């Protein structure tokens, strides 16, 4: 069998502040016939990226996966000291976890799943 060359990466950009989102916990799951299997956990660095690829080598298989970004604490901490923190502390945050489900169809490709997020919305795409 040939060596798997593909890998999975992600990064998070705070579109409200126009900067990378630091300190966001990211979990990667493989979707199985019986549920979900946790494969990796990471936290975004000062560049909004995980320090290492989330999935590489023999674990990088053609399958369905789920990335879960835990953003609630990031937006709560980001608002401390501002007028918005009074509102945030009194009410539940609009977004707490963002789940992106996707499929890997080619084990030799680089799959990059960016998350562009603000306190009230998000978007994603397959990056390069």
């Amino acid at each position: 069998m040939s060596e798997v060359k593909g890998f999975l990466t992600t990064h998070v950009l705070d579109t409200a502040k126009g900067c990378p989102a630091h300190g966001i916990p990211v979990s990667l799951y493989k979707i199985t016939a019986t549920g979900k299997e946790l494969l990796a956990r990471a936290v975004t660095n000062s560049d909004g990226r995980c320090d290492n690829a989330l999935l590489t080598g023999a674990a990088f298989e053609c399958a369905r996966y789920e990335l879960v970004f835990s953003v609630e604490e990031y937006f709560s901490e980001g608002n401390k000291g501002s007028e918005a923190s009074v509102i945030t502390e009194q009410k539940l945050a609009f977004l707490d976890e963002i789940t992106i489900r996707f499929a890997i169809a080619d084990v030799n490709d680089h799959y990059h799943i960016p998350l562009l997020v603000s306190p009230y919305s998000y978007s994603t795409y397959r990056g390069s």
Side-chain angles (χ1 to χ4, degrees), residues 81-95:
S82 69
E83 290 180 33
S85 67
V86 175
I87 297 168
T88 303
E89 291 171 2
Q90 292 175 355
K91 296 180 181 180
L92 293 174
F94 180 67
L95 296 171

Side-chain angles (χ1 to χ4, degrees), residues 42-85:
V43 177
T44 58
N45 61 23
S46 61
D47 196 32
R49 299 177 183 277
C50 298
D51 289 331
N52 299 302
L54 292 170
L55 193 59
T56 61
F60 193 80
E61 302 174 326
C62 291
R64 292 213 173 271
Y65 296 88
E66 187 175 277
L67 276 171
V68 178
F69 299 86
S70 300
V71 298
E72 182 177 31
E73 188 173 324
Y74 172 82
F75 286 115
S76 294
E77 287 182 0
N79 286 330
K80 285 182 181 172
S82 69
E83 290 180 33
S85 67

Side-chain angles (χ1 to χ4, degrees), residues 4 8 13 20 22 26-27 37 49 53 68 94 103 110 115 117 119 127:
V4 172
L8 172 68
L13 298 175
H22 173 264
V26 179
S27 299
E37 174 188 350
R49 299 177 183 277
V68 178
F94 180 67
H110 173 198
L115 177 66
V117 65

Side-chain angles (χ1 to χ4, degrees), residues 11-13 15 26 37 43 58 65 73 84 96 106 113-114 126 128:
H11 77 271
V12 183
L13 298 175
T15 57
V26 179
E37 174 188 350
V43 177
Y65 296 88
E73 188 173 324
D96 62 350
D106 184 343
I113 314 290
R126 180 169 174 200
S128 58

